[in-house]
């Protein structure tokens, strides 16, 4: 483990970062924890390779997963005099290459990109007699994307999902038929989807010697960011790029793998040293983003994960001065939770925190509405990440037109920032003071963000004018690199990946939401949800607040329990330390009904006993409950765990609740489960007791 007191050198790098930057040309694997300066490290490594003469800037291809991240790489490389480096997403790089090589491989013009696949998926679904409503088509489209990203052909689909025990959006043979029909329709119309970009580029390099030779003479050095999230298809393309060479730097953190549902796998990162035995492996663990209190919370959260591979066990070491402890709060309903969060945000803003340095993060987008309303009621500006694209907003399109129109008339020597503000004031409605109302305020903030881009550009290029600014804005629009808007960010945990804020509010932390309900008892799915939570925690620099509500709406009584991931994070002395819905004095943890020891962990809490305490399960009753569940699941055409999990059935067979109030006290039996299955479960219990077995407990 690195010495936390090791100094930062004159080059601004710590010893581990410096080791990665100066590693010899060849395979390098950087295991970089959250907040450890990975972008600084890889851009410095690229610049070092270029300035030391190991490779020309134009011979470097750096790939990552979002246009925003690629834009940040280009910006930093430009400041390091390595502006010739190509920094793109996998898909953008493949599209560029495919368009260039298409004429010599296929002839004629390249096939155009499919403008959304739902129409063709709908036609394919109709052919296969599958569901064609919008939700069903989105599920089928996502499943096709998963299959293509994992290199599963239509003919192999049914066998593969059976082998992987994957939940599918319909009978596997039917989904395979939809997939095959979609591919047939797409190819007949001579169009490509995004996955085709990667596959066809890989095939071009694999099967066309001339194409491969020309490409490999152009690019000699490769860098892959967020390597824990590559799919088999992306890895195939990377292998085709490399050929028999090994000049490859990869950077990633297996603790932040959150896209396995889409085909991503951390195994390429974790097995990198095995594939390249001579690789330099560097571990970045010094966290420069978050306070030690937040770092400690993150370490405790991920340290409780099960079956962590050795290469993922990065223990972050906080480098910042101490800050406030993470805060936890429980609320009666979602509206109350949202109002409390908005109130705290308003206090932070009044105390000097910029709104753009605050984020509210949630598991699913549907959770956003209550917080939008609460922030609007409090007069707090906000932006929704993942909503309408910044450069597609009407006020931004009008503003960019105004800037382009004014560019020819700019007088030499005028200040870029002043003239930008003047144009936007005269022609786009920018005012000195923010207007009232959430909608107008959001538009005002968007225009002000364009002024911010002018300020950034002028700082790097003092001679830049409006023409240059318009070019910069068009480049950012092409790469979806939106400027920062001074409003509170509302975003899903997935959309927050790669970002950070001074203050982060993680909301809606209830079982069934985080971990998501469909994760069930699938350990791999639950652990991915834990990693998603870990990503959320590590977005915060100084203030971290976690909250949950016991009910969706007021007056319905507690129907939820706080997330199982919070166990062990909340201090016993904290008012929120009690388990939601349990009436225990003093907020104590639930205790083992055998030995009386406080319980930790989901299974132990469900069973109300320690894992190593003897079980008093009624095996005959458990078998009856499983038979009932099997029939119920078959009737609903869902997996058994969707009805009730094995752990919940075991808890019922051990505790044998005598009525609805006792049944709902078992974790896993919420109000919805009680309403749907309570009578049936109690009937099974009563029938079993009537036949002379042990009576139900009270």
């Amino acid at each position: 483990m690195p010495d936390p007191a090791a100094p930062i050198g004159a080059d601004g790098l710590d010893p581990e970062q410096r080791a990665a930057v100066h590693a010899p040309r060849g395979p390098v694997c950087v295991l970089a924890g959250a907040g450890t300066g990975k972008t600084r490290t890889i851009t410095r490594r690229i610049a070092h390779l270029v300035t030391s003469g190991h490779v020309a800037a134009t011979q470097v291809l750096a790939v990552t997963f979002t246009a925003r991240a690629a834009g940040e790489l280009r910006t930093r490389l430009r400041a390091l005099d390595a502006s010739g480096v190509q920094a793109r997403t996998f898909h953008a790089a493949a599209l560029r290459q495919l368009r260039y090589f298409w004429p010599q491989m296929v002839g004629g013009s390249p096939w155009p990109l499919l403008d959304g696949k739902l129409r063709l998926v709908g036609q394919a679904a109709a052919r296969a007699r599958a569901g064609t409503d919008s939700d069903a088509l989105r599920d089928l489209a996502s499943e096709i994307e998963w299959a293509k990203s994992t290199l599963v052909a239509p003919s192999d689909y049914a066998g593969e999902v059976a082998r992987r025990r994957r939940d599918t959006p319909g009978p596997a043979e039917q989904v395979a038929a939809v997939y095959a029909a979609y591919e047939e329709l797409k190819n007949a119309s001579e169009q490509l989807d995004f996955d085709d970009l990667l596959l066809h580029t890989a095939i071009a390099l694999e099967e066309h010697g001339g194409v491969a030779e020309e490409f490999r003479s152009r690019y000699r050095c490769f860098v892959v960011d967020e390597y824990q999230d590559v799919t088999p298809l992306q890895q195939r393309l990377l292998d085709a790029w490399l050929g028999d060479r090994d000049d490859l730097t990869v950077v990633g953190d297996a603790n932040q793998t959150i896209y396995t549902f889409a085909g991503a796998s951390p195994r390429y990162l974790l097995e990198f040293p095995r594939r390249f035995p001579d690789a330099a492996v560097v571990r970045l663990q010094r966290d420069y983003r978050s306070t030690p209190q937040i770092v400690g919370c993150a370490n405790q959260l991920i340290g409780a994960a099960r079956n962590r591979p050795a290469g993922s066990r990065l223990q972050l070491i906080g480098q910042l001065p101490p800050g406030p402890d993470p805060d936890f709060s429980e609320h009666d309903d979602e509206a109350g939770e949202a109002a409390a969060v908005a109130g705290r945000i308003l206090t932070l803003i009044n105390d000097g925190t910029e709104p753009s340095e605050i984020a509210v993060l949630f598991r699913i987008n549907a959770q956003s509405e209550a917080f939008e309303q609460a922030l609007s009621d409090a007069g707090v500006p906000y932006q929704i990440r993942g909503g309408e694209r910044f450069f597609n907003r009407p006020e931004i399109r009008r503003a960019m037109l105004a800037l382009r129109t004014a560019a020819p008339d700019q007088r030499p020597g005028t200040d870029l920032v002043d003239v930008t503000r003047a144009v936007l004031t005269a022609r786009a409605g920018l005012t000195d003071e923010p207007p009232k109302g959430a909608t107008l305020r959001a538009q005002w903030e968007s225009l002000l963000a364009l002024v911010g881009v002018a300020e950034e550009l002028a700082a790097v290029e003092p001679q830049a004018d409006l023409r240059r600014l318009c070019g910069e804005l068009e480049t950012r629009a092409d790469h979806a690199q939106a400027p920062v808007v001074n409003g509170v960010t509302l975003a899903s945990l997935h959309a927050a990946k790669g970002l950070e804020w001074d203050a982060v509010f993680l909301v809606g932390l209830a079982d069934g939401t985080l971990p998501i309900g469909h994760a069930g008892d699938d350990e791999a799915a639950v652990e991915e949800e834990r990693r998603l939570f870990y990503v959320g925690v590590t977005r915060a620099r100084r203030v971290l607040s976690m909250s949950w509500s016991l009910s969706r709406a007021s007056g319905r009584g507690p129907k939820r329990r706080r997330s199982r991931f919070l166990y062990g994070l909340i201090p016993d002395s904290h008012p929120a330390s009690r388990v939601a819905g349990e009436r225990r004095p003093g907020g104590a943890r639930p205790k083992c009904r055998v030995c009386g020891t406080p319980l930790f962990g989901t299974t132990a809490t469900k069973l109300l006993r320690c894992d190593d305490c003897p079980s008093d399960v009624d095996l005959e009753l458990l078998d009856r409950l499983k038979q009932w569940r099997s029939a119920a699941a078959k009737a609903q055409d869902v997996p058994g765990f969707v009805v009730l999990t094995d752990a919940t059935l075991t808890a019922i067979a051990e505790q044998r609740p005598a009525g609805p109030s006792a049944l709902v006290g078992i974790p896993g039996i919420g109000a919805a489960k009680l309403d749907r299955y309570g009578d049936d479960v109690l009937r099974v219990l009563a029938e079993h007791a009537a036949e002379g077995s042990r009576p139900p407990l009270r």
Side-chain angles (χ1 to χ4, degrees), residues 398-625:
R398 290 195 297 269
M400 289 179 65
L401 176 61
L403 292 170
R404 283 194 296 270
T405 302
D409 299 327
Q410 183 182 358
R411 289 176 301 190
T414 54
D415 181 81
L416 174 62
V417 177
D418 289 344
V419 74
T420 300
R421 186 181 288 274
V423 170
L424 296 181
T425 298
R427 307 186 187 184
L430 180 64
T431 57
D432 291 337
E433 298 296 328
K436 294 181 179 180
T439 300
L440 292 176
R441 176 65 180 263
Q443 294 174 357
W444 184 84
E445 294 284 359
S446 296
L447 294 175
L448 204 62
L450 296 182
V451 179
V453 175
E455 292 172 344
E456 294 174 16
L457 183 60
V460 178
E461 301 179 26
Q463 303 305 316
D465 57 10
L466 279 180
R467 290 183 188 274
R468 177 69 184 87
L469 174 62
C470 291
E472 176 70 13
L473 291 173
E474 288 167 4
T475 298
R476 293 192 180 204
D478 289 342
H479 295 94
Q481 188 184 358
V484 175
V485 174
N486 196 26
V488 173
T489 298
L490 298 176
S492 71
L493 289 166
H494 281 102
K497 181 73 173 67
L499 302 174
E500 59 187 75
W501 296 268
D502 278 351
V504 168
F505 292 81
L506 299 176
V507 300
L509 301 180
D511 257 358
T513 304
L514 189 75
I516 199 75
H518 58 68
D521 272 354
D522 183 332
E523 183 176 290
V526 170
E527 290 306 326
E528 175 135 340
E529 294 288 298
R530 183 191 301 276
R531 293 193 296 271
L532 191 57
F533 189 16
Y534 175 81
V535 166
V537 168
T538 55
R539 300 309 94 195
R541 299 191 192 107
R542 184 175 57 86
V543 174
L544 175 62
S545 179
M546 289 169 268
S547 62
W548 60 96
S549 57
L550 301 181
S551 178
R552 178 175 176 81
S554 62
R556 295 187 178 181
K559 298 180 179 180
R560 298 171 173 168
R561 296 177 183 276
R562 74 181 187 207
S563 172
R564 68 193 74 173
F565 299 143
L566 292 168
Y567 297 153
L569 298 186
I570 307 177
D572 286 339
S573 59
H574 196 285
S577 65
R578 69 182 178 85
V579 176
E582 293 185 355
R583 298 178 177 87
R584 286 188 167 83
R589 292 184 183 282
K591 293 184 177 181
C592 175
R593 53 192 169 84
V594 179
C595 68
T597 302
L599 295 172
F600 296 87
T602 305
T603 301
T605 303
K606 280 190 174 185
L607 299 177
L608 283 179
R609 63 169 173 81
C610 301
D611 292 338
D612 53 358
C613 278
S615 169
D616 57 351
V617 65
D618 184 331
L619 294 176
E620 185 180 343
L621 174 57
L622 180 59
D623 186 58
R624 282 193 174 203
L625 288 167

Side-chain angles (χ1 to χ4, degrees), residues 149-371:
S149 70
T150 52
L151 299 173
V152 175
S155 58
D156 300 327
Y157 175 82
E160 274 298 307
V161 297
R163 184 180 67 83
R164 300 177 191 224
R165 298 182 179 179
R166 179 176 174 84
D167 288 335
T168 60
E173 296 291 349
Q174 186 179 59
V175 176
V178 174
Y179 179 12
Y182 164 78
E183 288 294 303
E184 182 182 336
L185 289 165
K186 175 174 59 64
N187 293 336
S189 63
E190 297 190 343
Q191 298 181 89
L192 302 173
D193 63 22
F194 276 97
D195 293 311
D196 291 332
L197 296 179
L198 308 186
L199 183 60
H200 285 296
T201 303
I203 291 173
L205 294 166
E206 292 165 351
E207 298 183 358
H208 296 266
V211 169
E213 183 178 356
E214 182 176 352
F215 174 85
R216 291 169 188 159
S217 67
R218 168 73 185 276
Y219 293 107
R220 299 182 179 274
C221 178
F222 301 88
V223 177
V224 184
D225 191 14
E226 303 287 3
Y227 194 53
Q228 78 279 351
D229 282 327
V230 297
T231 66
L233 176 55
Q234 288 164 336
Q235 182 62 46
R236 179 175 173 180
L237 176 59
L238 179 59
D239 289 341
W241 284 341
L242 280 169
D244 58 1
R245 299 169 298 172
D246 65 357
D247 200 348
L248 171 65
T249 298
V250 299
V251 187
D253 178 10
N255 289 333
Q256 298 186 69
T257 303
I258 58 174
Y259 291 105
T260 61
F261 67 89
S265 172
R267 68 184 177 89
Y268 302 111
L269 173 68
L270 298 174
E271 295 175 0
F272 191 88
R274 188 180 308 166
R275 178 181 177 185
F276 298 102
D278 296 330
V281 179
V282 182
R283 299 166 71 91
L284 304 184
Q285 295 174 260
R286 304 176 200 271
D287 188 307
Y288 300 98
R289 174 186 298 160
S290 306
T291 64
Q293 287 79 4
I294 294 172
V295 168
C297 179
N299 283 337
Q300 191 169 7
L301 170 63
I302 203 65
R306 297 185 176 186
N307 298 322
R308 292 173 72 198
S312 71
R313 295 173 189 162
L314 292 173
Q315 182 84 0
L316 298 177
I317 305 171
Q319 304 293 302
L320 300 184
D325 289 329
D327 185 60
F328 306 87
S329 59
E330 179 178 280
H331 305 273
D332 290 336
D333 52 55
E334 289 182 1
E337 180 184 4
V341 168
R344 284 207 58 198
I345 288 174
L346 192 58
T347 298
L348 286 172
I349 293 173
N350 291 337
D351 288 344
T353 303
E354 289 292 332
S356 60
E357 289 295 345
I358 303 172
V360 178
L361 307 182
F362 33 77
R363 175 62 180 86
I364 56 175
N365 289 323
Q367 294 172 271
S368 175
E369 183 179 359
F371 296 92

